[in-house]
């Protein structure tokens, strides 16, 4: 069986609603090709070529609430959101509330998992692995945390340093085709996480961090993007369209 083909698009900076609309449109196209191929198989016809998508984007400041989240985890009211330049969206991914903004690499894989593997947990573990390997490229040890989706840096009891989340993950699947993805903190304004209970985790022993904070220098998205892109290909084992 040939490897899946993935089309890569760097959207640059794009508003959350515009990116969500684009995701929805391209997701629908993947599902439509999938349906067409099922019909063609019944008629003993050759399939049309399926192309998956990987989108990179940087959003203006926005808070998003997943379908299993609580609005109480947003600590600003509507007027405060507007005055401070934030937008807010309730969306259909899993997970609770999170922040997206400048200096954060957001990746949206639109993959028909029928052409990869039919295992949601493995899919999330693979997304985590992309970020874990990218952190390792910068000399940072990152890991999974059982019971907490995402990518974490270990704490240090001796120095009272908490466990720190460097990447949030929230996904949605429809007809085994993925939506949403992960938000990797490269150099966002970490103060913006103070307006929410990040991912619904209220724990003094857990915090949010970024590559730049951990390294003590400014890390740009342009440094990180090619590494993330390469790890996606290696881990998910596909070819670029």
């Amino acid at each position: 069986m040939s490897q899946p083909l993935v089309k890569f698009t760097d959207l640059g900076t794009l508003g959350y609603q515009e990116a969500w609309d684009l995701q929805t449109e391209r997701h629908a196209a993947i599902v439509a090709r999938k349906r067409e191929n099922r019909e063609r198989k019944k008629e003993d016809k050759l399939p049309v070529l399926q192309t998956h998508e990987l989108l990179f984007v940087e959003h203006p400041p926005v808070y998003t609430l997943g379908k299993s989240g609580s609005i109480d985890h947003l600590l600003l009211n509507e007027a405060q959101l507007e005055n401070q330049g934030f937008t807010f969206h309730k969306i259909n991914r899993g997970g609770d509330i999170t922040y997206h903004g400048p200096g954060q690499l957001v990746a949206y894989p639109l993959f028909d998992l029928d052409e990869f593997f039919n295992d949601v947990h493995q899919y999330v573990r693979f997304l985590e692995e992309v970020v874990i390997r990218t952190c390792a490229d910068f000399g940072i040890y990152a890991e999974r945390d059982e019971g907490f989706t995402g990518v974490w840096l270990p704490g240090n009891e001796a120095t009272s340093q908490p466990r720190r989340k460097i990447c949030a993950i929230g996904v949605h699947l429809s007809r085994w085709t993925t939506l949403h993805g992960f938000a990797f903190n490269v150099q966002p304004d970490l103060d913006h996480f103070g307006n929410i209970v990040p991912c619904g985790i209220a724990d003094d022993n857990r915090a949010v961090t970024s590559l730049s904070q951990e390294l003590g220098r400014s890390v740009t998205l342009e440094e990180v993007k090619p590494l993330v892109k390469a790890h996606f290909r290696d881990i998910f084992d596909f070819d670029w369209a």
Side-chain angles (χ1 to χ4, degrees):
M1 183 177 177
S2 60
Q3 291 176 305
L5 294 176
V6 176
K7 177 185 176 184
F8 172 74
T9 307
D10 187 340
L11 299 173
T13 301
L14 190 65
Y16 190 85
Q17 186 64 55
E18 290 84 355
W20 191 3
D21 291 343
L22 183 63
Q23 276 193 82
T24 302
E25 175 188 315
R26 297 194 178 181
H27 179 277
I30 293 169
V31 172
R33 288 192 293 270
K34 180 175 180 172
R35 285 174 172 157
E36 180 180 354
N37 281 336
R38 285 179 177 169
E39 293 304 313
R40 294 177 73 88
K41 185 176 182 180
K42 292 177 185 176
E43 298 169 8
D44 213 20
K45 295 180 179 178
L46 291 174
V48 297
L49 184 64
Q50 179 64 285
T51 302
H52 314 266
E53 302 259 3
L54 176 60
L55 310 177
F56 282 1
V57 66
E58 186 178 17
H59 290 306
V62 58
Y63 297 109
T64 67
L65 181 66
K67 58 187 179 181
S68 59
S70 169
I71 191 62
D72 292 339
H73 294 154
L74 175 63
L75 307 179
L76 300 178
N77 60 36
E78 190 173 338
Q80 289 171 321
L81 285 169
E82 184 175 352
N83 290 339
Q84 296 182 38
F86 297 105
T87 57
F88 172 74
H89 295 273
K90 290 183 178 180
I91 58 175
N92 64 345
R93 63 162 169 79
D96 205 286
I97 196 164
T98 195
Y99 165 76
H100 299 315
Q104 187 184 69
L105 177 59
V106 179
Y108 294 133
L110 308 176
F111 294 170
D112 175 6
L113 292 187
D114 280 334
E115 291 204 356
F116 291 86
F117 46 78
N118 294 114
D119 187 327
V120 177
H121 294 289
Q122 182 179 346
Y123 174 66
V124 174
R125 299 294 85 79
F126 275 23
L127 293 181
E128 291 168 341
E129 187 65 23
V130 169
V131 177
I132 288 170
R133 293 190 190 183
T134 304
C135 287
D137 292 331
F138 288 90
I140 294 175
Y141 173 76
E143 62 186 10
R144 297 173 182 86
D145 191 341
E146 187 175 352
F148 295 92
T149 301
V151 178
W152 297 79
L153 276 56
N156 187 325
E157 289 186 11
T159 61
S160 299
Q161 189 174 38
R163 292 186 67 79
R164 296 155 338 270
K165 193 170 194 175
I166 200 165
C167 178
I169 294 176
V171 302
H172 175 74
L173 271 72
S174 175
R175 302 190 184 280
W176 280 107
T177 304
T178 64
L179 277 164
H180 305 292
F182 67 64
F184 185 15
N185 295 335
V186 178
Q187 56 169 0
D189 185 341
L190 295 177
D191 288 342
H192 290 173
F193 287 94
N195 296 325
I196 59 175
V197 180
C199 302
I201 303 170
D203 186 337
D204 291 340
N205 293 319
R206 294 180 184 273
V208 179
T209 192
S210 68
L211 274 179
S212 295
Q213 176 157 297
E214 295 298 323
L215 293 172
R217 69 172 179 87
S218 176
V219 182
T220 68
L221 264 63
E222 298 311 311
E223 287 181 73
V224 174
K225 286 176 183 178
L227 300 171
V228 172
K229 186 179 174 184
H231 289 314
F232 257 107
R233 180 178 179 177
D234 290 344
I235 292 164
F236 282 92
D237 192 23
F238 58 73
D239 283 329
W240 298 113

